[in-house]
Amino acid sequence: MKRTKAPHARKSAGNAPARFKVGDRVRVKDLPNMFYSRTQMYARGVSGTIAACTYQDLIPEDEAFNQEGRLEQYYIVRFRQKDLWEEYPSEKDTLQTEFPDRWLEPA
Amino acid sequence: MQTTHQHAGGGHEHKAAPTVEEITDFEVLEIAVRELAIEHGLFTAEDHRRFTEWAESIGPAAGSRLVAKAWTDPAFKARLLADGTAACKEIGIDWAEPTGFGTPSDYMNFRVLEDTPTLHHVIVCTLCSCYPRPLLGMSPEWYRSTNYRRRLVRWPREVLAEFGLILPPEVEIRVEDSNQKCRFIVLPVRPSGTENWTEEQLAAIVTRDCMIGVALPRPGRTADVHPVHKARHPVHSSPSMRAAE
Amino acid sequence: MSQRSELRQQYEIIGSLQPAIHTPQNWNYEIPSALYRAYMHPPHDVGGQRDVPVHYEEKEEEQWELNTYVTCEVLAWRGVWNAEERRRRADNDLGYTLYLGMPYYGRWIWAAARMLVDKNHISLTELLEKIAEVKSRYEAH
């Protein structure tokens, strides 16, 4: 019976170098939805700024189906609330959330 | 110790338990799945007991101590902001517990969000209920609700106002949507009127809600007050339903 | 479902859970793209949806809820599944009606049961017989 390996025991099929650094402008890709995703609809197609490079890990679309794909760099991206919700009343407020490398493209 | 339990009004009053103990559908399913998993050797009763022991040892007191130490020890605060997971060990919290690689759901990427007089953080997980269990224990039910998850990312000032927290427009509100493998707590600004307080005194005002970001610490505020829905068979009340005993 | 009256009541409840988009025939040859996208949207992705103010409640933990949390985590500890798979199954695979209708840990234990059957760790018959046995064991108390 195939078992899921614990994080420290995983043999990665390779890892991808970080394409972005803190301060870079990025846009969240708007891929189709099917079965599973942790990239929120509200963030798709919206541009923000890399606030932190966090860790490397499997991407959720692979892990949710027990596939041991390559490890990818994750980033915390900061958005202006006004860019996410056009009716948002304050220029100042922000929102941060996290994405793996393949969900981002240079803005 | 930090949550004041109040009975909710309306339809939430809990009736006295019936004399003949009823078993609910989910209680039956839970027992069935657990027993089958053990019978098939997928895990042992001892594994379950060990994890339960860990789960019952966690709670927001650890987070409160962490914040109080960061308020009184600038060098510790710098280490905490640089590497949250490592700094937790200094107060006896090891994110690798209880398996050696952390819990399967909490991972080992802990980050502290530092508030300033002009920046306030508040945490949500819009996709499920990601929460820093090793530091804060189990998440409150409202944090898991679709209501909080739907609204906080888009109407944070309104939702915070419902928690009794009204912030002036010149303070930036930064929502952290904890959607992947990082786990977060808020490091609030140390309130005035707490000069010369001990770490223990400070920890008492750092409640769970302050570390999620839906409340601010202040002298005299030592509990988060919410309506509480009572359990039918609370943890420890029903020995026959307790696993592995 | 011993009583016919209970059966009628079940039919009423199940009827009320059907999607609100009623058409003269209850299957479609085609659907508009916007509806397809809405069907494909993962139910757990709720951020930004409208909702009304409520009292934010605490809930005292039931014994079965703690047991469920531990069972799901230990299944992952022992490599039978992982947390991301649990989130996929418990928050998405079961569809909107169950996602929005079941208790939080009800979804977890349902997902664990489904996973054990899907991966052939147990058979469905074995699960059903176990459920019936546990039920009778406690009712005999």
Side-chain angles (χ1 to χ4, degrees), chain C residues 96-108:
Chain C
Y96 274 111
T97 307
L98 273 67
Y99 179 62
L100 297 174
M102 295 242 285
Y104 179 77
Y105 282 117
R107 292 189 279 107
W108 284 49

Side-chain angles (χ1 to χ4, degrees), chain B residues 39-40 105 129 149 208, chain C residues 58 73 99 104 126 130:
Chain B
E39 285 161 22
H40 283 263
S105 298
S129 51
R149 292 159 45 212
R208 180 204 64 203
Chain C
E58 307 275 342
E73 288 292 78
Y99 179 62
Y104 179 77
E126 205 177 353
K130 185 70 160 182

Side-chain angles (χ1 to χ4, degrees), chain C residues 19-86:
Chain C
I21 311 146
H22 297 288
T23 51
Q25 64 185 32
N26 58 2
W27 66 93
N28 292 309
Y29 296 119
E30 303 179 2
I31 54 171
S33 191
L35 182 57
Y36 174 80
R37 283 205 307 278
Y39 281 145
M40 290 302 121
H41 180 70
H44 72 165
D45 182 10
V46 301
Q49 295 173 4
R50 288 197 176 277
D51 209 335
V52 296
V54 294
H55 280 295
Y56 289 120
E57 272 189 3
E58 307 275 342
K59 185 180 168 308
E60 195 182 14
E61 193 163 53
E62 301 276 355
Q63 183 67 60
W64 75 267
E65 294 175 319
L66 175 63
N67 290 351
T68 293
Y69 164 70
V70 172
T71 291
C72 290
E73 288 292 78
V74 172
L75 282 168
W77 182 10
R78 294 303 171 212
V80 184
W81 65 352
N82 66 60
E84 207 56 46
E85 181 185 350
R86 189 202 73 233

Side-chain angles (χ1 to χ4, degrees), chain B residues 120-143:
Chain B
H120 177 79
H121 291 89
V122 57
I123 302 165
V124 63
C125 166
T126 55
L127 299 178
C128 46
S129 51
C130 296
Y131 192 73
R133 287 188 189 85
L135 275 175
L136 298 187
M138 299 299 217
S139 56
E141 188 70 13
W142 57 259
Y143 181 87

Side-chain angles (χ1 to χ4, degrees), chain A residues 1-6 33-42 44 60 63-66 85 87, chain C residues 36-37 40-42 44-45 47-48 50 76 78-82 84-85 87-88 92-93 119-121:
Chain A
M1 208 70 68
K2 188 185 165 190
R3 294 234 175 176
T4 302
K5 290 200 185 79
N33 258 326
M34 213 169 192
F35 308 142
Y36 197 67
S37 176
R38 293 193 80 80
T39 299
Q40 307 90 325
M41 280 270 271
Y42 71 73
R44 296 189 182 195
E63 201 174 12
F65 292 89
N66 261 305
W85 325 102
E87 79 287 2
Chain C
Y36 174 80
R37 283 205 307 278
M40 290 302 121
H41 180 70
H44 72 165
D45 182 10
R50 288 197 176 277
R78 294 303 171 212
V80 184
W81 65 352
N82 66 60
E84 207 56 46
E85 181 185 350
R87 296 183 188 112
R88 187 256 293 175
N92 292 276
D93 288 2
K119 294 186 179 176
N120 295 332
H121 288 296

Side-chain angles (χ1 to χ4, degrees), chain B residues 216-233:
Chain B
L216 288 181
R218 60 179 156 80
R221 185 191 179 284
T222 55
D224 300 323
V225 179
H226 297 279
V228 174
H229 182 86
K230 302 293 280 180
R232 291 168 59 99
H233 300 134

Side-chain angles (χ1 to χ4, degrees), chain B residues 205-219:
Chain B
I205 60 167
V206 184
T207 64
R208 180 204 64 203
D209 283 7
C210 298
M211 294 180 276
I212 299 175
V214 296
L216 288 181
R218 60 179 156 80

